[in-house]
Amino acid sequence: MRIACCVPFCRRTYANEEGFSEWVCAKHWTMTSKAWRRRRSLFKRRRRSDLADKMFARLKRQAIERAVGL
């Protein structure tokens, strides 16, 4: 099953083999804050999935805002 990028009007898709419910494509992922991406990575490495999920939500919101131009 393929899932679409969560940014509105983005046509990129991903082969969802890992079972993700949401995904941000590489084009929009690079638009997000590098510091926030590093912090999310740190949370994932330390097995703090609740904080990593919250950080992903912030990154997703930031990607959508920057793609729209806000």
Side-chain angles (χ1 to χ4, degrees), residues 1-7 10-27 29 40 44 56:
M1 181 177 162
R2 298 189 72 79
I3 58 173
C5 177
C6 64
V7 175
C10 180
R11 298 182 52 107
R12 293 178 181 216
T13 61
Y14 177 73
N16 191 15
E17 297 168 355
E18 291 86 13
F20 298 134
S21 60
E22 296 178 311
W23 173 73
V24 179
C25 69
K27 176 184 173 185
W29 188 250
R40 179 179 175 267
K44 284 179 69 173
F56 179 78

Side-chain angles (χ1 to χ4, degrees), residues 1-62:
M1 181 177 162
R2 298 189 72 79
I3 58 173
C5 177
C6 64
V7 175
F9 306 109
C10 180
R11 298 182 52 107
R12 293 178 181 216
T13 61
Y14 177 73
N16 191 15
E17 297 168 355
E18 291 86 13
F20 298 134
S21 60
E22 296 178 311
W23 173 73
V24 179
C25 69
K27 176 184 173 185
H28 293 111
W29 188 250
T30 57
M31 296 173 122
T32 60
S33 169
K34 192 172 189 177
W36 285 9
R37 286 183 279 156
R38 285 183 179 169
R39 178 168 281 186
R40 179 179 175 267
S41 177
L42 177 69
F43 291 151
K44 284 179 69 173
R45 283 195 311 268
R46 292 186 179 174
R47 307 263 189 234
R48 302 287 306 266
S49 62
D50 54 339
L51 293 175
D53 291 344
K54 288 179 184 177
M55 186 57 70
F56 179 78
R58 289 178 68 181
L59 285 163
K60 183 180 90 167
R61 186 173 57 239
Q62 187 180 53

